[in-house]
Amino acid sequence: MTVPDLEPGEVTVTQRLLGTARARADHPALVCGSADQACSYGDLAVTVQAAAAGLAGRGLQPGDVVGIYLPDAACYAIATYAVRAAGGVPSPVGSALSVPDIACQLADCGARMLLTGPALAAAAQAAADRSWVRQVISFGEAAGASRFDKLLGIGVLAPVEAKPHDLALLPYARRPDGMLAPVPVTQQELAGQLSKLAAKTRMGGRDVILAAPPAGDGRAYTALLDHALISGATIVAVRTSEICAAASRYHATIAIVPSGAGIGAGDHLRVLAVAS
């Protein structure tokens, strides 16, 4: 299965994901390697639309920015698609950032919500206290945060329509002076990135992709996860240190790792490095 041949900006990446999900409802989309829990494409589509309804019910409006500060690829993908489906703009928060830097990013983009996980919740709460964030939502139990699964009981929300020049992602990168600055990515620009990835990476529905935790400013990492999912592949979320062992266990064909991780390609494994 390949990425649909669409003009940039014709549909959102979330709509493309749901199209893939309809065709591959029973195929595994996301696997949490540490727990070996699988989420099918059908389950993913329902979860994304249910979480979008929950976020909208908590006040998320189209165009609002939401911080995405998560420790693994599976939660990161679900959170990013849920925010987009509700019409929001995901702003990936780098895992290597200090609390003051996280707070600076969240305040600058005006985020009122921050999605995180238990392992990062303490830093997330500390940064939220220094910004405009009023709701911290965690994938799992975390002091002071609402649980992500509490978003899922309202109903489902069809993905909000978006125009080509609407924002699809709002990463922050270091300027030469060391300060963080926004690097907005529009729907049209993201569609162009995915078209280039389709030509370069040759992902398809038979691929099993090992994805290390989020790396870099989120631009390349998010695009690779987007491309993998709309191509119908299976993403297995693993720690960087587990890549080599997981490659054999899951019969993986591709690995997404931070640059400098020291993981080389094998006979059956292609390595895609993301600048960290």
Side-chain angles (χ1 to χ4, degrees):
M1 184 172 184
T2 58
V3 179
D5 185 15
L6 298 169
E7 290 299 319
E10 184 175 338
V11 296
T12 67
V13 67
T14 305
Q15 291 168 320
R16 294 168 74 171
L17 171 68
L18 296 183
T20 299
R22 286 190 291 272
R24 297 179 69 77
D26 296 327
H27 189 79
L30 299 170
V31 178
C32 181
S34 59
D36 220 16
Q37 295 176 335
C39 170
S40 71
Y41 270 91
D43 292 336
L44 177 59
V46 171
T47 298
V48 164
Q49 293 176 95
L55 290 170
R58 285 174 172 262
L60 182 65
Q61 299 289 322
D64 287 351
V65 179
V66 178
I68 307 294
Y69 183 45
L70 286 158
D72 67 90
C75 292
Y76 183 96
I78 292 170
T80 300
Y81 276 103
V83 170
R84 288 168 170 165
V89 182
S91 183
V93 176
S95 59
L97 294 183
S98 66
V99 168
D101 278 339
I102 297 170
C104 179
Q105 175 176 334
L106 295 172
D108 186 74
C109 69
R112 299 281 179 153
M113 293 183 183
L114 176 61
L115 297 177
T116 190
L120 302 174
Q125 290 283 10
D129 290 343
R130 301 185 186 190
S131 70
W132 300 108
V133 170
R134 294 297 175 264
Q135 298 186 63
V136 178
I137 301 170
S138 173
F139 282 76
E141 198 69 41
S146 301
R147 287 180 60 100
F148 178 83
D149 55 17
K150 298 297 184 183
L151 298 174
L152 307 181
I154 295 177
V156 296
L157 179 69
V160 173
E161 296 290 335
K163 298 177 181 178
H165 295 293
D166 288 343
L167 289 184
L169 196 70
L170 187 60
Y172 275 66
R174 291 281 184 195
R175 298 188 316 211
D177 63 4
M179 299 295 291
L180 289 171
V183 189
V185 179
T186 67
Q187 296 285 347
Q188 188 169 25
E189 288 168 340
L190 178 58
Q193 290 176 16
L194 296 180
S195 293
K196 291 178 181 178
L197 283 175
K200 291 173 60 177
T201 61
R202 307 184 310 281
M203 287 184 191
R206 295 183 179 180
D207 281 308
V208 175
I209 300 169
L210 303 177
D217 59 29
R219 281 177 288 179
Y221 186 84
T222 307
L224 284 169
L225 295 190
D226 284 340
H227 176 48
L229 289 171
I230 64 177
S231 298
T234 298
I235 293 176
V236 181
V238 294
R239 298 184 181 91
T240 305
S241 61
E242 299 171 340
I243 292 286
C244 294
S248 175
R249 179 182 178 186
Y250 292 101
H251 304 288
T253 53
I254 297 172
I256 300 172
V257 302
S259 60
I263 298 171
D267 292 338
H268 303 289
L269 185 69
R270 287 186 285 137
V271 174
L272 305 177
V274 177
S276 56

